[in-house]
Amino acid sequence: LRSLVAQAFTPRSIKSMEPRIREIVDDLLEQIDISKPVDIIDTFAYPLPVIVIAEMLGIPSEDRVKFREWSSSIARILEPTTTTELFYEAAKSGEELRLYFKDLIAKRRESPGDDLMSVMIAAEEGGDSLTEEELLVTMRLLLVAGNETTTNLIANGLLALLEDSEAFERLRKDRNLLGPAVDELLRFDSPVQIDRRTALEDVLIGGKTIKKGQPLLLLLGAANRDPAQFANPDYLNFDRDETSHIAFGRGIHHCLGAPLARVEAMIAFEALLDRYEEIELQGNRPIFKDHAVLRGMYEMPVRLEVK
């Protein structure tokens, strides 16, 4: 299943998308009213990945608002803090999304396009081990996983830069640092803080025996601040030699959309630096959601001043 979808997320495929991603970024920033403080999450960090993944899947532009609502709702089921009421709302959103995708799949069967959904449908019809149920689940995964996480990468990363003026100024002067900066921001404030795995065999870790079949919660955020792995882990450093953060996971479960997330973040930060002379936090430090898995803020008011 992964190999079928992965074709759309290779570095080469993502490279071909860069011009369109830049257009989307510029359009979003052009719509921002800078005469007053603006929530940079609501106006920029959130809609960017929604639009990108929606276009990849061939979702009509008029349905993006519904996509955003469904994604936000469904992502709540990942959190242990989710109430029963929110859980049922997420289940309702999941069913609405499922029905929406089923209808869209039917339309794509009749009239295929060059989008990712059409590619996956063709693989299914060719008997390439992709059932319609797997197709639905995969599209749901791409929607949810590709939205919340990239939003948090851009927003959390911008907050970290605004709170470290020296690092921010260095990035402003040297755009060659954009790549290393994005990786360092992924390490510094990881969008996904916790992941789950199951032991495939007995293994000894830290003097403790983990039995085969035992579920584990992996603290990615803690690992990325491990002083045994990273010198001065609580500080931003774009020159790190230790680039083996695990914000995207590791091994066979390494994040499918990692190349896309990196490119979106690099283009987003570059555009913000190109367009604005000043980006200044407004009010108190933004409040983070009471989430354990997906780390992100409710809102992030900033004052923007164009060059």
Side-chain angles (χ1 to χ4, degrees):
L1 296 182
R2 183 184 176 97
S3 65
L4 289 172
V5 183
Q7 301 166 34
F9 292 92
T10 62
R12 177 180 294 181
S13 296
I14 300 304
K15 183 74 176 176
S16 69
M17 293 174 57
E18 283 189 28
R20 177 57 187 145
I21 295 174
R22 291 184 187 280
E23 287 180 4
I24 295 169
V25 165
D26 289 341
D27 287 345
L28 288 171
L29 294 179
E30 194 65 37
Q31 295 173 37
I32 292 178
D33 178 6
I34 65 169
S35 65
K36 55 187 177 182
V38 59
D39 179 4
I40 201 69
I41 296 177
D42 184 62
T43 57
F44 183 60
Y46 206 120
L48 171 58
V50 171
I51 295 171
V52 171
I53 198 66
E55 289 195 358
M56 287 182 72
L57 289 171
I59 304 302
S61 58
E62 61 269 20
D63 293 337
R64 288 175 191 161
V65 173
K66 288 191 293 187
F67 242 49
R68 176 174 175 169
E69 292 171 353
W70 284 328
S71 175
S72 180
S73 177
I74 294 169
R76 292 174 184 154
I77 65 174
L78 297 173
E79 301 297 337
T81 56
T82 297
T83 63
T84 301
E85 182 181 357
L86 289 176
F87 186 88
Y88 281 116
E89 284 182 15
K92 181 174 179 288
S93 294
E95 182 59 21
E96 290 174 356
L97 180 64
R98 174 189 173 84
L99 293 174
Y100 175 84
F101 275 145
K102 281 182 73 72
D103 180 61
L104 205 56
I105 287 171
K107 293 176 181 176
R108 285 290 182 278
R109 289 193 197 282
E110 294 180 5
S111 180
D114 57 1
D115 52 85
L116 180 54
M117 187 183 299
S118 297
V119 171
M120 290 192 290
I121 290 170
E124 179 224 1
E125 292 178 339
D128 222 354
S129 72
L130 191 67
T131 66
E132 179 164 291
E133 185 61 31
E134 290 165 338
L135 185 60
L136 288 165
V137 172
T138 300
M139 287 191 292
R140 169 173 162 161
L141 170 67
L142 292 175
L143 168 65
V144 178
N147 286 341
E148 298 286 330
T149 51
T150 307
T151 292
N152 294 343
L153 165 56
I154 295 170
N156 296 359
L158 181 58
L159 177 64
L161 290 170
L162 293 177
E163 293 185 331
D164 189 331
S165 57
E166 185 177 332
F168 201 11
E169 191 58 32
R170 189 176 173 212
L171 188 59
R172 188 182 288 278
K173 291 179 179 178
D174 185 0
R175 303 305 169 78
N176 291 322
L177 290 172
L178 278 167
V182 167
D183 267 305
E184 175 65 351
L185 293 169
L186 281 160
R187 180 202 70 80
F188 185 77
D189 202 349
S190 308
V192 180
Q193 291 282 309
I194 296 176
D195 206 349
R196 179 172 171 158
R197 291 288 181 268
T198 302
L200 298 181
E201 58 187 36
D202 290 356
V203 62
L204 189 68
I205 300 177
K208 301 289 184 180
T209 299
I210 308 300
K211 295 290 187 179
K212 178 181 179 180
Q214 187 173 350
L216 302 171
L217 286 181
L218 310 181
L219 307 185
L220 307 186
N224 284 335
R225 294 283 189 108
D226 184 356
Q229 179 70 23
F230 302 99
N232 298 315
D234 297 332
Y235 294 90
L236 285 177
N237 180 0
F238 300 152
D239 302 313
R240 289 189 183 278
D241 293 326
E242 331 100 318
T243 56
S244 58
H245 68 75
I246 56 172
F248 287 127
R250 187 68 60 81
I252 62 171
H253 294 295
H254 183 265
C255 176
L256 185 72
L260 177 60
R262 280 194 173 96
V263 166
E264 285 186 62
M266 287 175 62
I267 292 175
F269 288 129
E270 184 178 33
L272 288 170
L273 291 169
D274 284 347
R275 182 177 289 256
Y276 302 115
E277 185 69 38
E278 291 287 341
I279 305 175
E280 183 181 73
L281 278 173
Q282 298 294 287
N284 298 324
R285 190 175 194 267
I287 297 173
F288 279 80
K289 299 175 182 176
D290 62 340
H291 293 177
V293 180
L294 301 179
R295 177 169 164 80
M297 296 167 277
Y298 288 103
E299 59 182 8
M300 186 176 168
V302 296
R303 180 183 66 82
L304 301 170
E305 184 179 314
V306 294
K307 290 185 175 180

